[in-house]
Amino acid sequence: MDIQRAASRPLSEVLPPLILGTATFNHQYHHDPSQMPYVDIVRRALDHNIAAFDTSPYYGPSELLLGDALRRIEPAPARDSYFLITKAGRIAGDEFDYSPAWVRYSVFRSLERLGTDRLDLVYMHDVEFVSPAEVLGAVNELRRLRDQGVIRYVGISGYPVRTLASLAEMILRETSEPVDAVLSYGHFCVQNAQLGRAEILERFASAGVDCVLNASMLNMGLLTSRGVNSLPMAAWHPAPQELRKACHDLAAIADAENRHLEEVAIRWSLRNWMYQGSKFGTGCYKREGNEHLPVRIGASVMGVSTVDQLEETWQLWKSVTSEPGQDATNVLVEERMWPSLGDWKDYAWESGGPSFINTRRVMGMVPNDDIAKRLHVTARDEQSSNLENLLSPRRQPAATDGCSIFMAGGRKSKSTASPAKPKNTFVLDNGASTLKAGFVRDGQIGQPRIIPNCIARDRNRKVYVASELEKCTDFGEIQFRRPVEKGFIVNWEVQSEIWDYEFFGSKAPSPCNPSETRLVLAEPPNGLPVLQANCDQIVFEEYGFESYYRGVGPAFNAYHDVQSLFRTPLDAATAANIPAEILLVIDSGYSHTTVTPVFQGRPLHSAVRRLDVGGKLLTNYMARQISLRHFDVRNDPHIVNEMKELSCFVSLDFKRDLERSWKGTRGQRRPEYESGGGIAKDYILPDFHKNLKGSLRDYDPANHTKAQKLAAVQADDDVLTLRNERFTIPEMVFNPSDIGLRQPGIAELIHQSLQDLPVGLWPGLLANMVVVGGNSLFHGFIQRLQKEVVQRVPDDCVVRVARPADPLTSTWAGAANLASHAEMERLAVTKQQYEEHGQAWVARRFAMGPDAS
């Protein structure tokens, strides 16, 4: 297929009818998209003349992987032989920037990632989350880029079809020019076919839209035999549980006909949209042999994860385009599946709307990189005036029928009295490995308890819940069940059992009456809204707390005398002026490592960065190394974790330490290796009879003669000699690429975070870097971090890095200080307010902080 360059032609004359969507090249669908066969998928698509590709910067590494695939295919396909589609405006799950500066920067960044000099079609991404005025401004900016020859066609994309129709009508009304394309997803599938309704299509026709494309024929994985109740999709998919079950039940109906639900769903969508969407379709297909098809056929976007899935979809496409008339699939769907769905037929979940809060603080702030410099688009200079924008979440009205770019503000809720201060506040830092929990009673802060956040079962099948683990005397081959994955609570059944045992049961060690208690709960930054909603509902509806505040854990560290960590304590007159004005919190815990800039006690969400390296990954990798070099300990994570905490350190000169621990070439034993080189240590494994815990001792070459080894065996001592494992394991926090993880190290992550902020904030952040979390206890961690950050920032910036006396409980202690702070009365939400206003209002209040009052 020859894709013509002349943009004067209507989109419907050049748009291929079947488009490969690369949203699946994304962490939301795969733990490591780089391991997908993405090059083979793209190559095979071109072989089948599937000559259009849809991607987005929001889809994680999707643009990079697609660009890499197109560059690696040999012979290289001619640029005019394929059609490139991307999007702009959506940065993260709850972060949007439709400003002209960001739209322009995003488009040129996409050009670089995709390795092209032009883009064929660019949508503004998920338009329902911003105001109509912002959509209009962004579309106008795309049209300016079109007029400059950078892009060819302009469109909008989103989920609610009525909102898409309203915005298309508004754009025509305000500019006298229609959008070229509208992309709708999840609205023309077996479960939800609203896009095919005559009233909706008539509105698109009246708005002058040339092409309406249908995407997500499997409704984001709902219409699959597997369903979406497994990670990673279970954590973010917006469908309610009842809808998930109703769609999963369709798989049994398909099985009864010896068919797969995926095949039925894709065939139904392809065939029916080909005809129902023909008025908004494309004529760019081979007519010879397909005379039974309309002159224009509806265009569809397919998403695949494997070459086999691509082949199956291609076969379905050939089948539906070559067979005229209806087939058995329509009968199966209409007579069996739709009645099974019942009220869930044509159900659409809420997307955007008045309750949504855009966490983007400053519009038009672009990274200080080569792309911005080439465009002469840089971070705005009026930094002081931007600080208020940095701190204030933007609540955007959604487009509704008959919308105008001049929209009134949202409906004001009834005035609500500030919640009365309870006598007891329960402060909980709900970590993945441990809970840090304690009370603030009448303003007096108690000592926190550190409780394992797990349910464990030993080799004798005895079960231990949370703190009961202290009674375990044999950790060999122990198995753990944890409610937290990747930092987020995903299994409330287990989490509730732990909470009940420790805090709310009749025999709880730390009893708590929720109806008379306020809960202050720490959560990781940039939490998923659906998981936050589950948490809020359980806190109020299951436990019935009197009042509640859910805040970002790293930000709680601002509620300390931070300067005392740097040995510059505040005087008594100013010590109470917390939170600290500005600091940069690095939290390296069990699941991940995060970098969170905090200003006046509130996180700057747009600059938060995350590294998927934490204590769990380090322990697992150490178990793998020891199993390869010594003996199998992969079923003993608890023992390996203790070994890691006792023996590992962060090297200040990695190459030198690696040299000191090198044995030498084959058959050689270097003297420095024989002596241990100051690196080697002997770890005595626990036997769970005399010794319940392992111990570390200095390496003595004399103890490693054959005679001494035999004596040790006879004495039943299991000794492991640890050499470079001691420092190569923590090195992953600084250089995750050493194990093939395509993420920057912690120092580079800090630099990336700073790049997203006004330069005027850099000195304050760099001079107040606070490191918390269990990994910060590695010897040398602070010194190495400071050394690497200094190498990445301007010479005139002072870099100070400090660690609290107890980095494990620092977040909890900060939350406890906040619980006694006057600001808490403006932050907390009462149960009465929750019942009156609902969960969406609670989420908005927590996101906006004190500004919500």
Side-chain angles (χ1 to χ4, degrees):
M1 180 180 297
D2 183 25
I3 306 299
Q4 301 294 326
R5 295 195 63 170
S8 59
R9 300 177 65 185
L11 176 61
S12 55
E13 293 184 8
V14 297
L15 178 70
L18 186 61
I19 299 159
L20 177 63
T22 62
T24 51
F25 297 4
N26 187 2
H27 295 285
Q28 288 184 320
Y29 291 88
H30 298 276
H31 293 293
D32 187 358
S34 66
Q35 300 304 310
M36 292 176 59
Y38 61 91
V39 178
D40 294 333
I41 291 173
V42 174
R43 180 188 294 112
R44 198 69 184 130
L46 290 172
D47 290 344
H48 287 314
N49 208 19
I50 301 172
F53 303 95
D54 178 283
T55 183
S56 170
Y58 172 61
Y59 301 154
S62 175
E63 282 189 329
L64 292 169
L65 297 181
L66 176 58
D68 183 53
L70 292 169
R71 282 187 285 267
R72 289 169 59 181
I73 292 175
E74 294 181 358
R79 177 61 185 88
D80 288 346
S81 67
Y82 57 88
F83 198 93
L84 278 181
I85 307 170
T86 191
K87 306 175 183 71
R90 185 163 197 174
I91 300 171
D94 56 357
E95 187 177 355
F96 292 78
D97 192 340
Y98 272 45
S99 66
W102 181 265
V103 170
R104 179 172 289 268
Y105 170 82
S106 180
V107 166
F108 278 88
R109 183 181 60 181
S110 296
L111 289 171
E112 185 170 289
R113 289 176 171 180
L114 294 167
T116 183
D117 60 349
R118 71 183 187 281
L119 296 167
D120 295 297
L121 169 60
V122 178
Y123 301 109
M124 290 314 302
H125 199 172
D126 289 344
V127 289
E128 69 266 27
F129 289 94
V130 301
S131 68
E134 288 175 293
V135 174
L136 185 62
V139 166
N140 285 333
E141 182 63 23
L142 288 180
R143 286 172 174 170
R144 280 190 283 270
L145 291 171
R146 177 199 61 189
D147 296 340
Q148 295 168 15
V150 178
I151 63 179
R152 298 173 60 202
Y153 301 99
V154 175
I156 59 175
S157 75
Y159 181 71
V161 289
R162 295 184 185 279
T163 300
L164 290 171
S166 296
L167 288 170
E169 291 166 343
M170 179 270 292
I171 292 169
L172 176 63
R173 183 172 62 250
E174 298 293 337
T175 68
S176 300
E177 180 184 355
V179 291
D180 299 303
V182 171
L183 174 68
S184 168
Y185 68 93
H187 272 78
F188 195 82
C189 61
V190 168
Q191 180 268 322
N192 179 0
Q194 291 188 45
L195 182 60
R197 292 178 179 175
E199 56 170 308
I200 297 296
L201 297 179
E202 287 172 5
R203 293 184 62 184
F204 285 129
S206 67
V209 178
D210 188 20
C211 292
V212 178
L213 292 84
N214 176 44
S216 195
M217 294 177 280
L218 298 179
N219 208 355
M220 298 163 63
L222 276 176
L223 298 171
T224 60
S225 302
R226 181 185 180 187
V228 296
N229 281 332
S230 58
L231 289 174
M233 283 191 290
W236 61 263
H237 204 288
Q241 286 295 334
E242 296 86 350
L243 176 57
R244 297 184 188 192
K245 182 181 183 305
C247 289
H248 189 64
D249 290 344
L250 301 181
I253 298 176
D255 287 342
E257 300 293 326
N258 294 319
R259 300 176 68 177
H260 294 294
L261 176 58
E262 293 88 339
E263 178 264 329
V264 172
I266 294 174
R267 180 183 290 273
W268 185 90
S269 292
L270 286 175
R271 173 179 290 278
N272 288 281
W273 185 245
M274 188 181 297
Y275 291 94
Q276 291 190 40
S278 61
K279 185 175 182 179
F280 305 93
T282 174
C284 186
Y285 71 97
K286 185 179 179 181
R287 292 282 295 158
E288 184 179 350
N290 293 313
E291 290 81 3
H292 59 281
L293 295 176
V295 175
R296 293 170 63 174
I297 59 175
S300 296
V301 182
M302 66 170 183
V304 299
S305 300
T306 66
V307 176
D308 288 343
Q309 291 177 4
L310 176 70
E311 295 290 346
E312 291 168 4
T313 306
W314 172 244
Q315 293 302 322
L316 286 173
W317 173 256
K318 290 201 303 182
S319 173
V320 299
T321 55
S322 62
E323 297 174 2
Q326 299 290 323
D327 66 359
T329 300
N330 279 26
V331 176
L332 176 62
V333 170
E334 294 171 10
E335 296 184 2
R336 300 280 305 282
M337 292 188 172
W338 284 353
S340 175
L341 286 170
D343 293 340
W344 294 107
K345 171 71 171 67
D346 287 344
Y347 172 85
W349 49 80
E350 182 181 359
S351 184
S355 64
F356 174 75
I357 298 168
N358 185 2
T359 60
R360 183 72 166 174
R361 306 310 191 195
V362 181
M363 299 298 137
M365 292 289 292
V366 301
N368 188 21
D369 59 12
D370 291 341
I371 298 172
K373 291 174 183 175
R374 288 198 299 270
L375 294 173
H376 305 291
V377 177
T378 58
R380 285 185 260 170
D381 295 328
E382 51 272 12
Q383 294 159 359
S384 59
S385 64
N386 282 336
L387 290 181
E388 188 59 34
N389 289 330
L390 277 167
L391 296 168
S392 301
R394 296 165 57 88
R395 180 186 175 191
Q396 299 293 359
T400 56
D401 289 352
C403 67
S404 170
I405 62 170
F406 306 105
M407 295 190 67
R411 176 178 60 87
K412 292 185 178 180
S413 58
K414 291 184 281 188
S415 60
T416 308
S418 298
K421 184 175 181 178
K423 292 184 178 180
N424 298 328
T425 299
F426 179 46
V427 181
L428 179 60
D429 180 4
N430 204 96
S433 177
T434 58
L435 302 171
K436 280 69 71 174
F439 289 90
V440 178
R441 303 182 191 276
D442 295 322
Q444 299 298 312
I445 300 176
Q447 289 298 316
R449 292 177 60 216
I450 300 179
I451 305 164
N453 193 16
C454 63
I455 297 175
R457 187 177 67 182
D458 64 18
R459 68 177 94 202
N460 297 319
R461 308 186 69 82
K462 184 176 180 180
V463 176
Y464 304 88
V465 179
S467 60
E468 284 186 327
L469 198 59
E470 298 172 357
K471 302 174 184 178
C472 181
T473 58
D474 185 356
F475 287 94
E477 299 182 5
I478 195 167
Q479 296 179 341
F480 294 96
R481 190 180 181 197
R482 300 185 185 275
V484 177
E485 291 187 28
K486 297 186 178 297
F488 303 105
I489 304 175
V490 296
N491 190 332
W492 273 105
E493 180 183 356
V494 174
Q495 192 64 81
S496 295
E497 185 174 348
I498 293 170
W499 283 11
D500 291 344
Y501 177 82
E502 294 293 338
F503 312 121
F504 308 114
S506 58
K507 298 180 180 180
S510 304
C512 172
N513 182 357
S515 63
E516 300 175 354
T517 304
R518 171 179 293 163
L519 173 64
V520 176
L521 180 65
E523 66 169 355
N526 291 346
L528 299 171
V530 65
L531 299 182
Q532 293 173 332
N534 289 343
C535 182
D536 297 343
Q537 290 168 5
I538 287 171
V539 164
F540 280 124
E541 296 179 15
E542 182 173 334
Y543 289 100
F545 276 94
E546 185 272 337
S547 59
Y548 164 56
Y549 176 64
R550 168 175 49 77
V552 174
F556 289 152
N557 289 277
Y559 290 86
H560 290 291
D561 179 4
V562 173
Q563 293 309 313
S564 66
L565 301 177
F566 301 99
R567 294 178 173 81
T568 54
L570 301 174
D571 56 49
T574 59
N577 292 334
I578 56 175
E581 183 175 8
I582 190 169
L583 74 158
L584 188 66
V585 181
I586 298 95
D587 186 350
S588 187
Y590 181 78
S591 297
H592 50 66
T593 299
T594 57
V595 176
T596 308
V598 182
F599 186 81
Q600 295 181 351
R602 293 141 76 183
L604 306 180
H605 292 282
S606 63
V608 171
R609 293 294 180 270
R610 169 177 167 140
L611 169 64
D612 292 324
V613 175
K616 179 181 180 180
L617 178 62
L618 301 185
T619 298
N620 291 342
Y621 196 75
M622 188 171 190
R624 178 182 175 186
Q625 293 299 307
I626 292 172
S627 298
L628 288 171
R629 299 176 182 183
H630 301 281
F631 47 80
D632 195 348
V633 292
R634 289 174 297 176
N635 293 328
D636 299 305
H638 185 84
I639 296 173
V640 178
N641 189 66
E642 285 187 342
M643 188 188 311
K644 177 196 72 178
E645 294 177 351
L646 201 58
S647 65
C648 287
F649 68 94
V650 174
S651 173
L652 300 180
D653 188 342
F654 185 76
K655 291 183 179 179
R656 170 59 184 149
D657 286 340
L658 207 58
E659 174 74 16
R660 290 163 64 192
S661 59
W662 182 45
K663 183 178 182 179
T665 56
R666 187 171 183 178
Q668 179 187 6
R669 295 177 72 89
R670 299 171 64 248
E672 199 168 18
Y673 177 86
E674 292 280 9
S675 66
I679 300 291
K681 295 281 186 180
D682 284 339
Y683 186 82
I684 315 300
L685 290 163
D687 58 14
F688 302 114
H689 297 291
K690 293 185 296 183
N691 300 314
L692 297 182
K693 289 184 175 292
S695 60
L696 196 68
R697 72 184 184 195
D698 290 335
Y699 176 82
D700 185 354
N703 291 334
H704 289 266
T705 63
K706 289 184 178 180
Q708 290 293 337
K709 288 182 178 179
L710 180 60
V713 171
Q714 292 173 347
D716 292 330
D717 283 339
D718 287 330
V719 180
L720 270 178
T721 299
L722 301 173
R723 296 182 184 271
N724 64 20
E725 299 96 341
R726 296 188 60 212
F727 60 89
T728 56
I729 300 303
E731 184 69 16
M732 289 190 290
V733 180
F734 294 88
N735 288 294
S737 59
D738 287 352
I739 60 168
L741 194 62
R742 294 189 177 185
Q743 294 188 34
I746 185 172
E748 182 59 29
L749 214 63
I750 291 171
H751 187 244
Q752 290 183 7
S753 175
L754 294 173
Q755 293 285 339
D756 238 23
L757 295 170
V759 176
L761 294 179
W762 289 22
L765 293 168
L766 290 168
N768 297 282
M769 297 172 59
V770 176
V771 184
V772 298
N775 295 328
S776 68
L777 291 169
F778 287 129
H779 180 72
F781 190 99
I782 302 301
Q783 297 88 331
R784 171 72 177 277
L785 181 60
Q786 182 162 353
K787 175 184 175 182
E788 293 209 359
V789 172
V790 166
Q791 295 171 353
R792 288 170 167 80
V793 300
D795 293 339
D796 55 351
C797 286
V798 176
V799 177
R800 299 190 303 173
V801 184
R803 178 179 61 206
D806 187 352
L808 294 178
T809 61
S810 177
T811 296
W812 180 91
N817 289 335
L818 172 61
S820 304
H821 196 272
E823 195 170 70
M824 175 52 70
E825 304 313 310
R826 295 192 294 155
L827 295 172
V829 170
T830 65
K831 189 171 187 294
Q832 180 181 353
Q833 290 173 321
Y834 170 80
E835 292 171 347
E836 179 180 350
H837 299 288
Q839 190 279 325
W841 180 88
V842 172
R844 182 166 65 253
R845 185 180 178 102
F846 287 163
M848 296 181 70
D851 294 337
S853 17

